[in-house]
Amino acid sequence: MAFPFLSYFLAAALVLLVFLRRFSDDQRRFGNGVLLGLCTLFLLAGSFIGLDHFLRPLTRAVSTGLIVGATVGTVVVAGFLVTNGIRMIRTEGGGLANLLPLLAGVAVLVALGLLGAAARFENGLLRAAATATLFLAGYLSFLFACFIGYAVLYQRVAGRRPVDFVVVLGAGLTDGSVVPPLLASRLERALALYRRQKARGRSPILLVSGGKGADEQVPEADAMADYLTERGVPDEHVVRENSSTSTEENLKFSRELMERLRPGYRCVIVTNDFHAFRAAVLARRAGVPGEAAGSPTAAYYWPSATLREFVAVLVAYRVTSLGMGALLLVAGVRAGWHG
């Protein structure tokens, strides 16, 4: 082929067509984000090879800039994660979820150190470990970029059709019975959606979902219902699901209530922005007909929460994630050992 970069553009076009077909069918798929990421990679590869074909000296300068930028950017991101992790521990406590930014930042710095050592010392075992780490880090970075990018896109384009229910997912209560700011943000977004539907002539029901935790005095659903009625929502427009203890149960138990109250219903599921896309994925798996809407989250809390959601998505697709990870580790060891 006279212009080899055209094959990459063709591949990007084909992947884009598959993405558009799947996206029009159901927006709530993580695979959509992966397809969009692959399309982007093919476009970038084609552009880079095309640039090399016509302007090779410029390609070398761009390559050097990309390597330097990627290295500096990685160090900056690692430093940010470590700093944010320390703040999370001081502010929210030392739970595993709050440790994620710190652990991720340290892991990035260790990987950079391993790569630097492999470049400096001639050692087959060290080179194999560094190459395997590079392959696995590249895979996880690609998936994380797909997750972030598609989650943002999903929130921008998710359907806003008429609904019969506005479902609010619960979160932990403060002092056992008080709605904290994180949960209040969800309830305020739900109120706005409820009022918008009312203004359009609908009669939606606000369904609050959340059971009673071991450290809580009342079910989360009861505290949420009180919050809404205090702000003018009639009692008859609020339904409580007060048995669930996880997002999966929120959706399962809420689905059973909605099917009984209004067969053939549609709903919108309200949670925080960092959680919205995974909630949509889980809703699809649970057979709940509706999209997810996100409410704002404090900036300092967002990195930890987003990392937690990403890990949860990897677990949800654990067979694929573990299989690809294992293949890349083996390929990296072989490439590094024989390199």
Side-chain angles (χ1 to χ4, degrees):
M1 182 180 287
F3 302 108
F5 57 89
L6 292 178
S7 61
Y8 288 90
F9 292 144
L10 178 60
L14 292 175
V15 173
L16 181 61
L17 287 175
V18 176
F19 163 77
L20 291 173
R21 175 74 178 271
R22 285 168 55 93
F23 185 79
S24 63
D25 178 56
D26 197 329
Q27 300 171 0
R28 305 170 299 171
R29 298 174 183 267
F30 180 51
N32 293 345
V34 175
L35 286 171
L36 202 56
L38 286 173
C39 178
T40 303
L41 283 182
F42 282 132
L43 283 175
L44 291 174
S47 300
F48 188 81
I49 293 171
L51 184 65
D52 184 63
H53 185 82
F54 293 108
L55 296 168
R56 181 157 295 179
L58 182 58
T59 306
R60 293 173 182 170
V62 170
S63 299
T64 302
L66 287 174
I67 293 171
V68 172
T71 303
V72 173
T74 302
V75 173
V76 170
V77 168
F80 169 76
L81 288 172
V82 169
T83 302
N84 181 258
I86 293 172
R87 180 177 180 182
M88 282 296 298
I89 293 168
R90 289 175 175 173
T91 306
E92 304 290 337
L96 179 59
N98 298 332
L99 285 171
L100 280 176
L102 179 60
L103 294 175
V106 170
V108 170
L109 293 174
V110 170
L112 286 174
L114 182 60
L115 291 172
R120 178 166 183 175
F121 302 106
E122 280 296 326
N123 182 286
L125 182 60
L126 186 61
R127 190 168 59 245
T131 307
T133 299
L134 183 63
F135 280 21
L136 184 60
Y139 173 62
L140 291 175
S141 298
F142 170 72
L143 289 183
F144 187 66
C146 292
F147 174 73
I148 293 293
Y150 189 69
V152 171
L153 176 65
Y154 174 80
Q155 283 289 286
R156 296 291 183 273
V157 301
R160 293 293 179 261
R161 288 179 278 182
V163 297
D164 301 288
F165 293 91
V166 179
V167 182
V168 193
L169 303 186
L173 303 176
T174 302
D175 298 327
S177 61
V178 179
V179 171
L182 186 95
L183 184 52
S185 174
R186 299 182 185 185
L187 291 165
E188 289 297 332
R189 180 69 193 278
L191 268 174
L193 292 172
Y194 166 80
R195 288 166 179 161
R196 188 181 306 164
Q197 292 285 323
K198 291 279 287 181
R200 294 175 180 174
R202 304 287 296 181
S203 296
I205 293 174
L206 280 157
L207 195 160
V208 289
S209 177
K212 181 177 176 295
D215 59 344
E216 294 173 336
Q217 300 168 14
V218 298
E220 293 165 8
D222 290 353
M224 295 159 70
D226 290 343
Y227 184 98
L228 293 171
T229 55
E230 287 170 2
R231 283 155 181 78
V233 179
D235 286 335
E236 62 270 21
H237 287 192
V238 181
V239 171
R240 309 178 190 210
E241 182 288 295
N242 55 16
S243 301
S244 56
T245 59
S246 66
T247 301
E248 289 83 353
E249 289 187 354
N250 285 146
L251 295 168
K252 177 185 175 182
F253 299 159
S254 295
R255 184 196 68 209
E256 293 169 356
L257 277 172
M258 290 186 287
E259 287 175 347
R260 187 167 68 248
L261 292 170
R262 293 188 182 181
Y265 71 93
R266 282 202 64 83
C267 69
V268 59
I269 301 155
V270 181
T271 183
N272 284 85
D273 48 13
F274 64 80
H275 186 231
F277 179 59
R278 185 167 74 90
V281 171
L282 293 174
R284 181 180 68 83
R285 292 188 165 194
V288 176
E291 306 291 349
S295 62
T297 306
Y300 82 91
Y301 192 82
W302 196 85
S304 173
T306 302
L307 285 170
R308 184 177 70 240
E309 294 301 307
F310 175 63
V311 171
V313 167
L314 292 183
V315 171
Y317 294 89
R318 53 187 169 275
V319 174
T320 303
S321 301
L322 290 173
M324 283 298 300
L327 285 174
L328 288 169
L329 283 174
V330 171
V333 168
R334 287 176 60 86
W337 190 266
H338 298 294

